[in-house]
Structure formats: C-alpha cells, structure tokens
Amino acid sequence: MKNIVLLASGSGSNAENIIKYFREKKISHNFHIITNKKDAFVLERAKNLNVSAEVITKKQNDEGILFDRINELKPDLIVLAGYLLLFPAQIVALYPNKIVNIHPALLPKFGGKGMYGGFVHDAVVANKETETGITIHFVSEHYDEGAVIFQAKTPVAEIDTALDVANKVHELEYEHFPKVIEKLLDD
Ligand code: GRF
C-alpha cells in the first residue's frame, strides 16, 4: 500500500479517475487530495469518493505549509492533476522523480506559465495544429520542464473547436494517466 497525494485546483476529474482505476483493480493505496481553492469541485468528488481532502491556499503554500504537510503525509508519489500553482522548489528538491504532472498538450509545445486548461486548447486551434495530445512528466522547479515520462497523441480536425480538442485530450488523460502512475509505483 502506497501513499499517493493528488493535487488539483479545479474540477478534479483526473483525480477521481485515478482513484477509481485503482479501486476497480482492487489495489488499495492511500489517497489524499490537496487543493489550493476552497470552492474547487475536486472537494465534492473527494467527499463522494470518501477520500480525505484539504485546502492549502497559495498564501499558505508561500508560508511553507504545503511543504510541511507533504512531509507529514510521506508520499510515495505526488500527482499534480490540474494543479495550477508552481510547485514549491523546496518540495521538488526533496522528492526527485516522485512528483508527476500531466499537461494537456505535446510539450515542449504549448507549455509554460499561463498555458493551462482552455488556453492550451485555444492556442492549439488558433495555431491550426493537426495533432495534439498529453504529456506526463516529472516536475522540476520550472513550469512544464521536467523529464518527459509519456506522451500520447490525438488528431485535430480542421473543424474541431477548442472544446472538441479538450474532450479528446481528456479521453487520453483518463486512459493513460492511471496506467503511468501504476507503472511508476511498481518501479
Ligand atoms: C487536465 O486537462 C490536465 O491536463 C490539466 O488540467 C486539466 C485538469 O482537468 N493540467 P481535471 O480537473 O482533472 O478535470
């Protein structure tokens, strides 16, 4: 049984999908959810899933509270699933190759500060890309720059809207993110 800390800033559909994946496979890990937003829907999902969850705001994060909490939780893996704050360098330094993020595009394309959620898919459509995808990568002290663990692609049609692209990308995320996490936990 491993300790997995999931961080999400908003909806948390990936967090839910990851937890359900392991439950369906009857693999019992300890999950704990942290969000920086007190009204994030991920808190609702945590309640429904019966998973512990807490809010650590940006201010608390800056005060070192996230750092202390993560150390208390003794995570085997830290998973950023739609977490929009820059992850504290202090934590990154302590947990080399134990923090993973999912980015909804094919990095190094469409990454960096400000490139999140709908902005990524808007940019993909505006740029007339013919394909996009997901990147699962280790977290470094810079946005979207750690070593790539896994990528998967999906075609973008000329008529696709940013919402269509978002839906395709979410499908890839749901399919692959739990499997990549499972593999990392087994290594
Ligand atoms: C996902 O597309 C993820 O790649 C990105 O933020 C989105 C989060 O979606 N980093 P959700 O909160 O898991 O529904």
Side-chain angles (χ1 to χ4, degrees), residues 61-176:
N61 190 332
D62 294 342
E63 290 163 359
I65 289 173
L66 182 61
F67 178 75
D68 293 344
R69 193 64 184 116
I70 293 276
N71 286 328
E72 266 170 28
L73 290 163
K74 302 198 187 336
D76 295 290
L77 195 67
I78 300 169
V79 177
L80 311 189
Y83 185 67
L84 299 183
L85 300 181
L86 188 62
F87 208 60
Q90 257 182 316
I91 309 179
V92 176
L94 260 191
Y95 294 89
N97 295 348
K98 293 246 178 273
I99 313 171
V100 293
N101 180 46
I102 189 157
H103 186 78
L106 296 169
L107 291 174
K109 282 184 158 186
F110 306 106
K113 198 168 170 25
M115 271 294 167
Y116 61 89
F119 296 115
V120 176
H121 309 306
D122 287 344
V124 164
V125 169
N127 229 39
K128 302 196 186 316
E129 294 291 315
T130 54
E131 61 178 17
T132 187
I134 59 167
T135 304
I136 298 168
H137 64 93
F138 288 117
V139 172
S140 69
E141 61 277 22
H142 303 290
Y143 276 109
D144 302 329
E145 281 184 17
V148 171
I149 303 165
F150 177 89
Q151 289 188 307
K153 292 178 181 174
T154 183
V156 179
E158 251 177 76
I159 52 159
D160 280 351
T161 63
L163 190 61
D164 296 326
V165 174
N167 288 335
K168 289 181 180 180
V169 166
H170 258 125
E171 286 309 312
L172 288 181
E173 294 183 333
Y174 299 151
E175 184 185 346
H176 296 290

Side-chain angles (χ1 to χ4, degrees), residues 44-57:
E44 232 10 78
R45 293 187 196 267
K47 215 182 291 165
N48 295 335
L49 289 161
N50 217 0
V51 165
S52 57
E54 69 188 296
V55 180
I56 298 179
T57 62

